[in-house]
Amino acid sequence: MNFLRALYTRLLVQYRLYRLKMPATRPYMRYSQGSRFINRAILYLSFFVVAIIGSFLYGYTAIYGNPQPMIQSMGIPVVVLALICIWALPERASWGEKALYPLLVAYFFFALVWAQYVSIIKVPGNPWLSPQRVLLYVISGIALISFSVSREMKGLIKERFQAHKPIFICLIVLIAIEIMSLGLTSNMRLSVSYIIRETMLITIPFLLCAALFQDAARVRLFIAISMVSIVILVAFAYQESRLNQPVWAVYIPHWWFDTSDETIQRLLSGRSRYDRFRAKSSSLTSLEFAELMAILFPFCLYYLMERRRMLLRGIGAVMTIICLIGIYFSGSRLGFVGAIAAFATYLFLFGLRYWRTHRKSLIGPALIAFYPAAMTTLMVGIAISPRLSAMVIGGSSTDASTQARFDQWQMGLPMIMKNPFIGYGYANGAYKLGFVNPGGELTIDTFYLSILLETGVPGTLAFFFFHAIAAWVSAKAYLNSTDTEGKDGTRIGAAIACAMVGFLIVKLVLSQRTNHTFLAILVGFAVALYRNNKTALKQHSDA
């Protein structure tokens, strides 16, 4: 007892000394945001409302729900209280840049090469505790604290917002419509969970990349990681094609997975079409793997066409071939469609910029003049060659999936016309459509149909222009770049623009959202590059 009394006395003394060193303000008393009474009232009222909501959720789920939803509902007040505590933290001048940048780099690498369903820790009932998910939780927590307490972070976000408002406005509109659509959703739990998920996977990475990547070297580091990841992913795909099953199912013991879960069983079994195994590498499906390769393909072209050293250009040529081989292993035509669209866009932008920067050279005009002929030749080759036509357009083996997409549009258009403004609830599109494939699975195969059903026409336009404006900004920064040595990073803009173009085309035939995080990161790069380009142009004009 004497020991405990002495320990208590010592802790009390240390606490009083700490209070004497503290500033006069309390964490919840931010004088710049209002009076002391109002801020204190908001804090106390928030705790009261959260307590009432938590009590209601506990009572409702205890009577009408099963134990798992009850546990999830009880976690909601804890999360809300944590957010209130983050809001109440005192402001600081600095923020967690030194922690966020390496964590974001690690997350980017693991999100590319590690399968989502492979957990690093075997936890009963939670087989999805992957490295990228753990890193995402840590990044989101640090980012929220930084957004709340750091004046520097707020200043950077405000500066990026002022630099290019349309991109931020599109994101704000999309988030607002997602929240408004909750009033019409038939599955509130699913919609709320997906909105929180999209916030962590899209909004936070976008804001962090827009704020963190002021230096072109950091953007080039991410591209280098992408190149390394392509090699790893295609190696996985090659091994899958050889073994006719996913690599993760071969080299990781099955007792590590929750094999009672039907989703895990389907992911570990793989999928074939007409006796050909469709590799998916670290993605959930072969279609997502092909989409990822199409998104990364323009960065191989960047190494091939923009880097000055011949060694790096040689690496770019090899990586371009490897990326196309990966798309071939996926057995998906959408990957080739996205890669062709990206290549065509890159060739046009490269020729136009070369013409503007080398007025006396004939290479630029020749590329622009050759462009229509090259595209025409490619289209004729696809039309004449049965093999190319099957790889890009599809053949008899893909007629069923093509017809399914037409049937889904016929079913969905009347629903969209009935409620064109806010849709039927985020992540609720497939349930509202009610289309079932021959395997008995509820599915929707076109992202634009999905988002039209979920957020209506305004939400779809906000999503489209969020990426389209980023593509335009990146292309403009590339064409206006005065950097001949690639120091300010604006020459990466062509690759970002081409990735956006390929992504928006692929979304016509793919509804999965796994790769949307990478596009949010690229949009953040586009905002940062646009600022760098404006700064470089201003310095060039002053000189």
Side-chain angles (χ1 to χ4, degrees):
M1 291 298 296
N2 293 332
F3 169 76
L4 293 177
R5 189 179 295 108
L7 179 63
Y8 172 75
T9 304
R10 183 173 181 180
L11 290 175
L12 184 62
V13 170
Q14 292 295 330
Y15 173 73
R16 288 178 177 176
L17 290 174
Y18 170 74
R19 290 296 300 270
L20 289 174
K21 297 178 182 179
M22 286 181 61
T25 58
R26 301 291 188 270
Y28 50 83
M29 297 180 185
R30 299 184 178 182
Y31 297 104
S32 60
Q33 299 181 2
S35 67
R36 181 184 306 179
F37 173 79
I38 293 176
N39 283 324
R40 183 181 293 180
I42 290 174
L43 184 65
Y44 293 159
L45 182 63
S46 300
F47 278 103
F48 176 75
V49 171
V50 169
I52 295 297
I53 294 174
S55 302
F56 170 78
L57 290 174
Y58 175 78
Y60 181 84
T61 53
I63 296 173
Y64 299 103
N66 54 53
Q68 185 175 0
M70 183 179 71
I71 295 173
Q72 294 174 354
S73 298
M74 286 299 295
I76 294 176
V78 177
V79 174
V80 175
L81 286 174
L83 294 175
I84 294 174
C85 291
I86 291 174
W87 170 80
L89 290 173
E91 288 190 348
R92 299 177 56 186
S94 60
W95 61 298
E97 178 182 2
K98 293 182 179 180
L100 282 171
Y101 177 68
L103 288 173
L104 201 59
V105 171
Y107 168 76
F108 185 73
F109 176 73
F110 280 109
L112 285 173
V113 303
W114 194 279
Q116 296 183 34
Y117 52 88
V118 179
S119 176
I120 56 174
I121 303 173
K122 184 172 175 57
V123 179
N126 186 11
W128 300 84
L129 200 61
S130 57
Q132 57 265 43
R133 173 171 286 194
V134 175
L135 287 168
L136 184 64
Y137 290 151
V138 176
I139 290 170
S140 299
I142 298 175
L144 288 174
I145 294 173
S146 300
F147 294 150
S148 175
V149 306
S150 173
R151 291 189 294 272
E152 181 184 359
M153 182 63 161
K154 295 173 185 176
L156 285 172
I157 298 299
K158 183 178 180 181
E159 180 185 351
R160 300 298 185 270
F161 178 80
Q162 295 293 337
H164 211 288
K165 294 180 181 179
I167 292 178
F168 284 86
I169 291 174
C170 289
L171 181 61
I172 293 170
V173 170
L174 180 60
I175 294 173
I177 294 176
E178 290 173 0
I179 296 173
M180 291 169 60
S181 67
L182 292 176
L184 296 176
T185 183
S186 59
N187 192 335
M188 179 66 72
R189 186 186 302 275
L190 177 67
S191 297
V192 171
S193 65
Y194 261 78
I195 289 176
I196 296 173
R197 175 179 175 270
E198 294 297 304
T199 301
M200 296 175 63
L201 289 173
I202 294 179
T203 307
I204 291 179
F206 161 68
L207 293 175
L208 288 178
C209 289
L212 280 171
F213 291 87
Q214 307 172 58
D215 186 3
R218 291 186 170 184
V219 180
R220 283 195 291 268
L221 174 62
F222 266 64
I223 297 176
I225 293 174
S226 302
M227 297 298 102
V228 175
S229 300
I230 289 174
V231 176
I232 298 173
L233 292 172
V234 176
F236 287 169
Y238 168 74
Q239 192 72 353
E240 284 185 31
S241 300
R242 195 173 65 86
L243 300 173
N244 287 336
Q245 59 180 330
V247 173
W248 305 94
V250 177
Y251 297 105
I252 295 180
H254 275 227
W255 56 264
W256 189 261
F257 300 99
D258 184 9
T259 53
S260 62
D261 189 345
E262 294 182 1
T263 304
I264 296 295
Q265 294 177 5
R266 186 169 61 253
L267 290 171
L268 294 178
S269 62
R271 185 178 179 185
S272 301
R273 174 182 283 176
Y274 290 89
D275 298 328
R276 179 187 171 188
F277 187 82
R278 303 181 66 180
K280 58 186 178 183
S281 192
S282 295
S283 301
L284 297 179
T285 64
S286 59
L287 297 176
E288 290 176 288
F289 174 54
E291 180 192 35
L292 179 60
M293 290 292 102
I295 293 171
L296 298 179
F297 180 71
F299 298 101
C300 302
L301 296 178
Y302 163 75
Y303 265 77
L304 175 62
M305 305 177 73
E306 303 293 343
R307 301 310 296 262
R308 295 177 62 86
R309 296 173 59 184
M310 292 304 298
L311 175 62
L312 295 178
R313 292 195 173 192
I315 292 174
V318 173
M319 296 307 302
T320 301
I321 297 172
I322 291 176
C323 195
L324 292 175
I325 292 173
I327 297 175
Y328 173 77
F329 283 143
S330 72
S332 174
R333 48 185 169 154
L334 69 85
F336 285 109
V337 171
I340 290 172
F343 175 74
T345 307
Y346 206 117
L347 184 63
F348 177 77
L349 291 175
F350 179 81
L352 189 59
R353 183 181 183 276
Y354 199 92
W355 192 357
R356 295 181 64 178
T357 55
H358 300 77
R359 295 288 185 180
K360 296 181 180 180
S361 176
L362 295 177
I363 296 178
L367 286 173
I368 298 299
F370 175 72
Y371 182 80
M375 292 299 102
T376 303
T377 304
L378 179 62
M379 294 298 106
V380 171
I382 292 173
I384 294 176
S385 172
R387 189 175 183 83
L388 283 177
S389 178
M391 289 171 60
V392 178
I393 300 176
S396 57
S397 61
T398 60
D399 289 343
S401 60
T402 302
Q403 185 60 44
R405 290 183 174 92
F406 282 117
D407 294 341
Q408 290 171 15
W409 276 105
Q410 289 180 352
M411 294 173 59
L413 283 176
M415 302 178 186
I416 296 169
M417 297 300 295
K418 187 176 179 180
N419 186 13
F421 298 109
I422 59 174
Y424 298 93
Y426 196 66
N428 201 43
Y431 296 95
K432 181 63 179 178
L433 186 67
F435 184 86
V436 180
N437 62 17
E441 298 175 347
L442 192 68
T443 182
I444 184 168
D445 298 329
T446 303
F447 180 76
Y448 292 115
L449 175 59
S450 177
I451 196 170
L452 278 168
L453 288 169
E454 295 171 4
T455 62
V457 177
T460 304
L461 292 177
F463 172 85
F464 178 83
F465 283 109
F466 176 70
H467 298 90
I469 295 173
W472 170 258
V473 166
S474 302
K476 187 176 179 181
Y478 173 75
L479 294 175
N480 294 334
S481 176
T482 58
D483 182 23
T484 57
E485 299 181 0
K487 291 183 178 180
D488 63 2
T490 51
R491 294 174 69 176
I492 306 173
I496 296 176
C498 295
M500 297 290 172
V501 171
F503 169 77
L504 291 175
I505 292 176
V506 166
K507 288 291 103 176
L508 290 169
V509 292
L510 180 65
S511 184
Q512 280 89 345
R513 314 176 191 216
T514 305
N515 296 320
H516 288 200
T517 303
F518 307 131
L519 272 296
I521 290 174
L522 293 181
V523 175
F525 290 167
V527 173
L529 291 177
Y530 180 78
R531 175 188 173 277
N532 292 348
N533 181 246
K534 287 181 66 176
T535 304
L537 288 176
K538 184 178 180 181
Q539 293 175 353
H540 182 72
S541 61
D542 293 341

